[in-house]
Amino acid sequence: MSQTILVTGGAGYIGSHTAVALTERGHNVVIVDNLDNSSIGAIETIRRLTGKEIPFHEVDLLDSDALGAVFDEHPIESVIHFAGLKAVGESVEKPLSYYQTNLISTMNLLQQMENHHVWQLVFSSSATVYGDPEILPIPESAKTGPTNPYGQTKLMIEDICRDVAAADDRWQISLLRYFNPVGAHPSGDLGEDPQGIPNNLVPFVMQVAVGRREQVNVFGNDWDTSDGTGVRDYIHVLDLASGHLAALENIEAGCDVFNLGTGNGSSVLDVIKTTEHVSGQAVPFEIIERREGDIATSLADPRKANDKLAWRADRNLEVMLADSWHWQSRHPNGYAESES
Ligand code: NAD
Ligand code: WQD
């Protein structure tokens, strides 16, 4: 059944792809974002791709009254909450800013939902809550232990949601722990547009392939993995978007948590080689020292989401990187087309 869904952080990378998928499924989407890490160009692209004049409010979730006004204006029935700060290194340097933004925005959101009798919430958590995993692949029941303030905010928000749902049985909350989102919309017009030097591997590799940067620095080849480089569970952002639809469609009373991953691991060298293959461009790299805080392998056990949400991530690494390359090659400077 068609719903009116508030998407916080809907101008961002994952939110924008999910906003398109929700609209294509017939839902009415309302977006709020303060454009702190995104651009109005993403909103324009969402509108163009869907052919819908999707309402957008430039609102900071730290401003609870402004957020409340959005609930007053639209008949919102459920919320998907992407908005927040997400850079691990920055969170170590500016922990207060991360705790302030991620925790207070979420508490404002939960309060406004309660005030407006909106009880369905899907929240962007992260595999980062597992820290250095003891079991591979990682089930939702694994021990948590984030190793940085960003990861702590995700776990604290999960706990807040669990407490809120336990106190009032009208709440229906799904916490989604994403593994490593990559890829882009097949149109090549919606994608990941990091500000400054990318922290994550795939955007960095794409900028090397397109000629914006000289080489990829590979953070160590002495890890306990098949080729010595770090292994991750990359997941296509479209599979992630469909995971949010599945989570909403199967949401139940209380608060439940799901891994969203493929269950397949790829090394840094797999990513580099596959990018060379799909782009036809050379991707020079150099092995350097390990990055502080990194782990050897992160791999989801996605069976709970497969079974309970009837959802599966189907797209393989080649499709993910081909779509990332399509976006990067059409928009070498992201949404800021005029930049050099
Ligand atoms: P993103 O930065 O592209 O999107 C987040 C959006 O939230 C941005 O558009 C930003 O402007 C907005 N925002 C930030 N603070 C805000 C505030 N106070 N008020 C209103 N809007 C605000 O990030 P993304 O990769 O799309 O990630 C979306 C969510 O998924 C985040 O919560 C992130 O922590 C989580 N997540 C991301 C990854 C990843 O690797 N991309 C992995 C796991 C979890
Ligand atoms: C992947 C692999 C690196 C860059 C981070 C966050 C996590 C989540 C997703 C939000 C690792 C290697 C990387 C480079 C490299 N975000 N690498 N050279 O570290 O798994 O997860 O993003 O929730 O919280 O920690 O992803 O893309 O940074 O790294 O060799 O220039 O690539 O060592 O093995 P990571 P990543």
Side-chain angles (χ1 to χ4, degrees), residues 88 126 128 150 180 199-201 217-219 230 232 234 268 291 294:
V88 171
S126 169
T128 202
Y150 163 70
N180 287 62
N199 296 307
N200 293 117
L201 179 66
N217 291 321
V218 176
F219 300 143
R232 296 292 182 271
Y234 296 97
V268 176
R291 179 173 65 179
D294 263 350

Side-chain angles (χ1 to χ4, degrees), residues 33-298:
D33 199 301
N34 66 355
L35 302 182
D36 178 70
N37 194 38
S38 50
S39 106
I40 192 72
I43 301 291
E44 287 157 6
T45 305
I46 295 167
R47 289 177 174 157
R48 191 171 51 73
L49 290 173
T50 58
K52 294 260 159 55
E53 205 39 49
I54 298 185
F56 168 61
H57 298 270
E58 190 173 339
V59 162
D60 192 319
L61 266 64
L62 294 174
D63 184 346
S64 189
D65 292 343
L67 180 61
V70 176
F71 279 88
D72 291 338
E73 188 176 334
H74 302 278
I76 291 161
E77 295 164 277
S78 57
V79 177
I80 307 186
H81 178 36
F82 295 100
L85 302 177
K86 65 159 185 175
V88 171
E90 190 182 57
S91 81
V92 176
E93 285 157 24
K94 300 179 189 169
L96 278 180
S97 158
Y98 271 66
Y99 286 112
Q100 173 88 10
T101 302
N102 290 359
L103 297 181
I104 306 294
S105 345
T106 305
M107 288 194 281
N108 286 344
L109 176 66
L110 289 164
Q111 187 62 60
Q112 290 300 346
M113 289 179 70
E114 193 175 288
N115 294 351
H116 292 83
H117 301 278
V118 178
W119 306 107
Q120 290 195 337
L121 174 68
V122 176
F123 170 64
S124 303
S125 187
S126 169
T128 202
V129 299
Y130 296 117
D132 198 350
E134 285 173 1
I135 318 168
L136 288 168
I138 312 170
E140 289 82 355
S141 55
K143 208 172 97 218
T144 51
T147 55
N148 54 71
Y150 163 70
Q152 292 284 8
T153 69
K154 290 294 177 190
L155 196 56
M156 287 176 178
I157 293 170
E158 286 196 1
D159 285 337
I160 291 169
C161 288
R162 280 186 265 270
D163 288 344
V164 162
D168 186 332
D169 58 16
R170 286 173 293 184
W171 283 100
Q172 301 180 313
I173 303 181
S174 264
L175 310 169
L176 305 182
R177 292 175 177 163
Y178 316 152
F179 278 66
N180 287 62
V182 298
H185 191 269
S187 63
D189 288 340
L190 203 58
E192 188 171 10
D193 183 19
Q195 320 286 306
I197 301 170
N199 296 307
N200 293 117
L201 179 66
V202 169
F204 201 103
V205 166
M206 292 298 148
Q207 292 192 5
V208 172
V210 85
R212 272 177 73 176
R213 300 185 191 279
E214 264 178 34
Q215 63 170 38
V216 180
N217 291 321
V218 176
F219 300 143
N221 66 351
D222 55 353
W223 296 98
D224 183 15
T225 62
S226 56
D227 65 18
T229 64
V231 167
R232 296 292 182 271
D233 187 334
Y234 296 97
I235 173 169
H236 198 298
V237 67
L238 291 189
D239 283 328
L240 214 48
S242 71
H244 290 76
L245 275 163
L248 259 190
E249 282 162 10
N250 294 282
I251 205 158
E252 290 178 353
C255 182
D256 209 350
V257 58
F258 299 95
N259 284 339
L260 295 188
T262 65
N264 302 315
S266 305
S267 73
V268 176
L269 296 182
D270 290 334
V271 169
I272 291 175
K273 296 297 161 206
T274 307
T275 300
E276 289 187 322
H277 172 66
V278 298
S279 68
Q281 305 295 313
V283 178
F285 66 90
E286 186 184 346
I287 309 289
I288 65 161
E289 67 279 8
R290 291 180 176 193
R291 179 173 65 179
E292 207 185 312
D294 263 350
I295 55 174
T297 303
S298 167

